Amino acid sequence: MKKPLLTIAISLALSAPLAVQAGEKEDFEELYAKAQSTHKDAGTFQWTVTGDRLKAAKSAADNGEHKKAKTMANEALKLAEESVAQRKKQQEAWRMVAIGN
Amino acid sequence: MRKGLISLCLTTLALSATAPVFAETTQADIDRGKELAYSRKDGNCLACHKMDDGKLTGNIGPELAEMKARFPDREMLFKRIWDETQFNPVTVMPPFGRHMILSKQEINRIIDYLYTL
Amino acid sequence: MLKAKVILVSLGIALAIPQAMAGSTPEEDRKEAVEYFKQMFPDVPFEEFVNGQYALNEDRRKQWESMQDFPPYEFAVAEGQEMFETPFANGKTYASCFENDGIGIRQNYPYFDTKKNEVITLELAINRCREANGEKPLRWKKGAIASISAYMASTSEGKPIDIKVPDNPDAMAAYQDGKEFYYSRRGQLNFSCASCHVQNPGKWIRADFLSPALGQPANFPVHRSKWGELGTLHRRFAGCNNNVRADPLPAQSEEYRNLEYFLTYMSNGLPVTGPATRP
């Protein structure tokens, strides 16, 4: 009677971290994909540092370092968002110091 | 040990404040600030500003001296390092904070150092 | 005009340029640029601008002059001439692809090809010549292509740069595209080409002395001490982009060719001096 309960308890205890890990992995993949597509949106205004973070995120994920992977992907996303903002802003702002109109 | 704890507390305090009004500055903070200001991959202030004992400094920006007198409002100095384009749209100074070249904490350490100049 | 704009901007007055008025002609841009740099450096004769930092800084000029007896690119130019004159497998040579057999024509590059609707740089023409004759294209940034380009430039030494923007909407668009690239801020450091070479020439960025936009492309391909060899203009573009933490674009991409088109047009009338040396 006690044994099955114990088995359930143990398997629950074991599966909990796995579930968390699986959740982290999904979170990471979503974040990473978003960072990648935002980086792509920057077009000819991509930043080298965004690419560096994306690479670091990927290799951390491949090594099973999920926390680091998420941090790197998150940084990549923020950098990519700024590069997109720069691209949009420069469509007009380039004229500010241009010689000739 | 106790000193370490105190400085840890102070650092935590400084870290938690967005643009701290005032935080006890330690020599370690100032040293870290100078390191960040001089390092090419971080602040690289010397690329454009003459300052302190920096060698081979650029001259695109003004010399960084008398900083406390010139920027009595710490928050204002923080904002200008964070994003000088908000104050002068044609400046060539990189928006260190907005573009994540430096973190809030790193800018605060640089200010700790700049206030000794 | 530029100064007026900067003042307006610093006063916080929004610039409202009516779209119909926006877009001056290339020739108006060029004249305004010449005037701008003349005001900035009143003692520098127009033709001296091709020497970049050496026209503006006496110490740098002395170091440079002492190098001129044995310029480090001499061997590459000789090698370039040999490659230029050596027939392809089909018996033809590079001369067959170019006007005047490729001698004394550097000043006309880049040009806008109205049939292909694109900017043709000298390096692009060299590789297209190879491909048309059944040879593999050369790598773009250094090595053989830089040597051949250096030899071809050397045969045009002193000829005034003569870039044309034909009265054609595509040619105008290519020029405008290059102009926009030159003035657009890029990378995490938020620098445009103009941040350094229009707003701050004559100043130091750390241990590097900034040259003016005017005359910049006249001395390419260039032998940089930093490289220890010759490199093409697009290699330099990529290096600059990388320095400001912007992803460089591929050499001979449409963007870089348009940039070269705009930048070289600005130097019209200045003599070809490539190959040259720089730190």
Side-chain angles (χ1 to χ4, degrees):
Chain A
M1 193 57 197
K2 262 183 185 171
K3 242 185 179 177
L5 255 177
L6 195 68
T7 319
I8 292 170
I10 287 171
S11 52
L12 263 175
L14 284 177
S15 64
L18 276 176
V20 169
Q21 255 190 19
E24 266 184 5
K25 209 178 162 198
E26 273 164 31
D27 283 357
F28 166 74
E29 268 159 20
E30 202 184 315
L31 199 59
Y32 184 79
K34 202 174 168 202
Q36 253 186 334
S37 74
T38 310
H39 184 46
K40 212 176 157 197
D41 277 351
T44 65
F45 284 77
Q46 289 179 334
W47 295 358
T48 54
V49 282
T50 315
D52 294 346
R53 296 295 199 293
L54 283 170
K55 261 184 227 152
K58 186 86 180 36
S59 81
D62 289 347
N63 292 333
E65 305 166 70
H66 296 296
K67 206 175 161 197
K68 188 187 172 196
K70 257 176 85 173
T71 308
M72 288 294 121
N74 200 32
E75 282 184 27
L77 176 59
K78 285 185 181 156
L79 289 164
E81 281 168 353
E82 280 299 330
S83 66
V84 170
Q86 182 186 54
R87 175 177 70 77
K88 289 181 177 160
K89 188 167 184 225
Q90 290 305 309
Q91 284 174 353
E92 279 310 314
W94 70 270
R95 295 180 193 279
M96 281 199 291
V97 296
I99 296 177
N101 287 322
Chain B
M1 183 60 198
R2 182 174 279 180
K3 225 178 178 182
L5 257 177
I6 290 169
S7 76
L8 185 75
C9 291
L10 288 174
T11 319
T12 321
L13 225 145
L15 294 188
S16 57
T18 313
V21 187
F22 185 75
E24 196 88 33
T25 303
T26 66
Q27 189 56 43
D29 291 338
I30 294 168
D31 292 347
R32 175 70 184 137
K34 183 172 180 179
E35 191 186 341
L36 287 163
Y38 279 35
S39 147
R40 276 175 196 263
K41 76 172 200 1
D42 299 305
N44 200 11
C45 308
L46 303 183
C48 297
H49 299 279
K50 191 173 172 206
M51 64 198 285
D52 203 2
D53 60 352
K55 303 278 186 308
L56 293 172
T57 59
N59 60 357
I60 289 175
E63 182 176 351
L64 301 180
E66 307 293 331
M67 294 301 279
K68 215 157 197 170
R70 281 166 61 201
F71 296 95
D73 180 358
R74 184 177 172 120
E75 202 172 325
M76 181 49 71
L77 180 55
F78 181 93
K79 281 181 180 166
R80 300 192 64 163
I81 300 173
W82 182 265
D83 185 4
E84 172 69 8
T85 67
Q86 294 295 314
F87 300 89
N88 172 12
V90 299
T91 184
V92 299
M93 179 153 150
F96 287 97
R98 185 163 59 83
H99 277 192
M100 287 162 277
I101 302 161
L102 296 169
S103 67
K104 279 175 190 160
Q105 296 92 311
E106 287 171 331
I107 293 176
N108 275 317
R109 294 295 75 73
I110 288 177
I111 294 174
D112 290 341
Y113 165 60
L114 290 178
Y115 271 173
T116 67
L117 300 181
Chain C
M1 181 58 196
L2 178 73
K3 275 183 188 152
K5 258 190 208 177
V6 172
I7 290 163
L8 278 177
V9 167
S10 60
L11 286 173
I13 298 164
L15 280 172
I17 304 167
Q19 278 307 305
M21 262 176 70
S24 40
T25 68
E27 195 51 15
E28 282 165 356
D29 288 351
R30 190 190 69 78
K31 283 185 178 149
E32 206 177 312
V34 170
E35 194 51 41
Y36 173 81
F37 289 109
K38 205 190 257 175
Q39 276 179 25
M40 203 176 234
F41 305 105
D43 300 331
V44 175
F46 177 64
E47 300 218 329
E48 266 298 314
F49 277 100
V50 295
N51 293 321
Q53 56 181 288
Y54 308 128
L56 310 182
N57 185 285
E58 198 52 40
D59 285 344
R60 290 271 165 138
R61 190 177 185 95
K62 278 182 191 147
Q63 290 170 25
W64 173 60
E65 278 169 349
S66 68
M67 276 175 79
Q68 294 312 296
D69 293 338
F70 302 102
Y73 48 76
E74 262 181 343
F75 177 74
V77 172
E79 182 190 66
Q81 178 170 11
E82 198 183 319
M83 288 187 276
F84 185 84
E85 289 166 355
T86 306
F88 302 127
N90 68 3
K92 288 193 186 173
T93 63
Y94 285 104
S96 69
C97 300
F98 293 95
E99 208 178 302
N100 199 38
D101 293 338
I103 303 302
I105 58 161
R106 165 75 249 197
Q107 70 282 2
N108 303 324
Y109 284 81
Y111 70 92
F112 191 84
D113 185 326
T114 49
K115 288 193 190 84
K116 293 193 176 105
N117 268 334
E118 62 176 342
V119 171
I120 310 287
T121 63
L122 185 59
E123 286 80 14
L124 185 70
I126 289 169
N127 261 347
R128 290 217 172 140
C129 177
R130 293 180 61 85
E131 288 180 294
N133 287 288
E135 302 284 331
K136 278 190 184 148
L138 300 167
R139 294 188 58 204
W140 292 119
K141 292 183 184 171
K142 56 185 179 181
I145 205 158
S147 298
I148 295 168
S149 173
Y151 165 67
M152 292 179 79
S154 74
T155 69
S156 309
E157 198 187 334
K159 291 189 188 276
I161 293 172
D162 186 19
I163 307 306
K164 296 186 173 76
V165 180
D167 187 14
N168 166 309
D170 294 323
M172 264 309 287
Y175 170 88
Q176 275 295 334
D177 196 47
K179 179 175 163 183
E180 191 171 330
F181 193 108
Y182 196 82
Y183 291 107
S184 293
R185 290 167 176 250
R186 287 187 144 71
Q188 191 187 31
L189 300 187
N190 207 37
F191 273 68
S192 67
C193 309
S195 299
C196 288
H197 304 291
V198 171
Q199 291 183 271
N200 288 293
K203 291 196 176 152
W204 294 89
I205 188 157
R206 204 75 194 241
D208 292 319
F209 191 83
L210 296 172
S211 60
L214 193 64
Q216 273 181 330
N219 51 72
F220 277 84
V222 79
H223 183 286
R224 290 190 74 197
S225 316
K226 190 183 166 188
W227 294 338
E229 60 182 357
L230 277 176
T232 61
L233 184 56
H234 290 212
R235 180 180 183 186
R236 192 71 191 90
F237 287 164
C240 276
N241 278 164
N242 207 47
N243 286 345
V244 302
R245 303 182 190 166
D247 269 339
L249 302 175
Q252 301 300 327
S253 58
E254 190 180 9
E255 288 86 356
Y256 277 1
R257 280 184 285 139
N258 291 346
L259 176 61
E260 179 175 345
Y261 190 42
F262 161 75
L263 190 58
T264 317
Y265 187 92
M266 288 298 106
S267 290
N268 264 356
L270 286 168
V272 171
T273 50
T277 60
R278 289 292 183 275

